[in-house]
Amino acid sequence: MDEEANPIKDYLFEYIKNSQTISELISQKKFDVVIDEIITNCYDKVILMDQKDVALGIFATGILHYLLTNALLNSQRKIEHNGMEVDIVVPDIKTLENDSKMSLVICIPKSSDKQVIEEKIAQLEKIQPTKENIWVILSENISLDKKTFVLSKENSSFSKIIFEIAQFSNVGGANKFKILRI
């Protein structure tokens, strides 16, 4: 799929490029601190750039794309699979097809409507039968029977996601390089 220009992603990557601290934090593998810094400094502006759930979904996707690349964690994003768009899959679709227990599907629903989110999860369960390997990124805390991460200015659990993905990859053996030893 072609990546279209997006003002939220442009703003995010401009912020990262101009940051005095992010590259140093990344070299120290302090991904949680990077996420906290980005949220602290960009959140208020980002939520004004689109409808809140949509804006935060785009923001979360951009942050994850950037940090998964920098953490050297294999992933694919915005993948079309069996007629369905998958936001992020770790490590890749081929692994998902061959061994669902070794694959993680991250859903970024861009909605806080519980019914919409549950419908999207139900669709993903058709391609990821290992239900605990579907994680959801939300803009507010919604009770779901999935592992969730909330991207918010206060009480954000999103900052832990890179370490949890790395832990999943290391435990599953999918991360051949074992870059992040957690």
Side-chain angles (χ1 to χ4, degrees), residues 106-151:
I106 300 174
C107 173
I108 308 171
K110 297 182 183 116
S111 173
S112 54
D113 180 328
K114 188 171 181 171
Q115 186 175 346
V116 168
I117 295 166
E118 287 177 339
E119 285 170 12
K120 183 152 175 131
I121 290 168
Q123 288 240 298
L124 291 173
E125 287 176 343
K126 294 175 186 169
I127 63 167
Q128 174 45 296
T130 309
K131 294 179 183 352
E132 64 272 13
N133 289 1
I134 298 174
W135 295 357
V136 185
I137 297 173
L138 302 168
S139 59
E140 57 188 63
N141 200 0
I142 296 170
S143 178
L144 298 169
D145 68 344
K146 297 285 174 229
K147 182 176 202 109
T148 60
F149 296 88
V150 178
L151 195 168

Side-chain angles (χ1 to χ4, degrees), residues 25-173:
L25 290 168
I26 285 182
S27 72
Q28 297 170 11
K29 306 206 180 331
K30 294 183 177 177
F31 301 108
D32 55 336
V33 180
V34 171
I35 293 171
D36 286 340
E37 179 181 321
I38 291 170
I39 291 172
T40 299
N41 293 296
C42 299
Y43 183 93
D44 292 333
K45 180 159 170 116
V46 165
I47 61 170
L48 299 174
M49 297 172 86
D50 203 326
Q51 190 263 332
K52 180 183 172 193
D53 295 326
V54 173
L56 290 176
I58 295 166
F59 190 48
T61 302
I63 293 170
L64 275 177
H65 172 69
Y66 177 75
L67 292 177
L68 287 168
T69 302
N70 280 285
L72 301 178
L73 291 168
N74 292 337
S75 65
Q76 288 180 304
R77 60 188 195 94
K78 293 213 184 252
I79 300 294
E80 188 82 24
H81 183 66
N82 291 351
M84 171 182 339
E85 187 175 291
V86 180
D87 295 314
I88 296 175
V89 63
V90 177
D92 53 40
I93 287 291
K94 188 173 180 168
T95 305
L96 176 61
E97 290 171 341
N98 294 334
D99 187 357
S100 66
K101 289 180 181 64
M102 302 293 282
S103 295
L104 184 60
V105 172
I106 300 174
C107 173
I108 308 171
K110 297 182 183 116
S111 173
S112 54
D113 180 328
K114 188 171 181 171
Q115 186 175 346
V116 168
I117 295 166
E118 287 177 339
E119 285 170 12
K120 183 152 175 131
I121 290 168
Q123 288 240 298
L124 291 173
E125 287 176 343
K126 294 175 186 169
I127 63 167
Q128 174 45 296
T130 309
K131 294 179 183 352
E132 64 272 13
N133 289 1
I134 298 174
W135 295 357
V136 185
I137 297 173
L138 302 168
S139 59
E140 57 188 63
N141 200 0
I142 296 170
S143 178
L144 298 169
D145 68 344
K146 297 285 174 229
K147 182 176 202 109
T148 60
F149 296 88
V150 178
L151 195 168
S152 61
K153 197 147 183 194
E154 285 87 31
N155 303 319
S156 179
S157 57
F158 184 68
S159 60
K160 296 171 180 48
I161 194 166
I162 295 296
F163 289 111
E164 297 217 16
I165 293 170
Q167 213 165 21
F168 173 88
S169 296
N170 286 342
V171 168

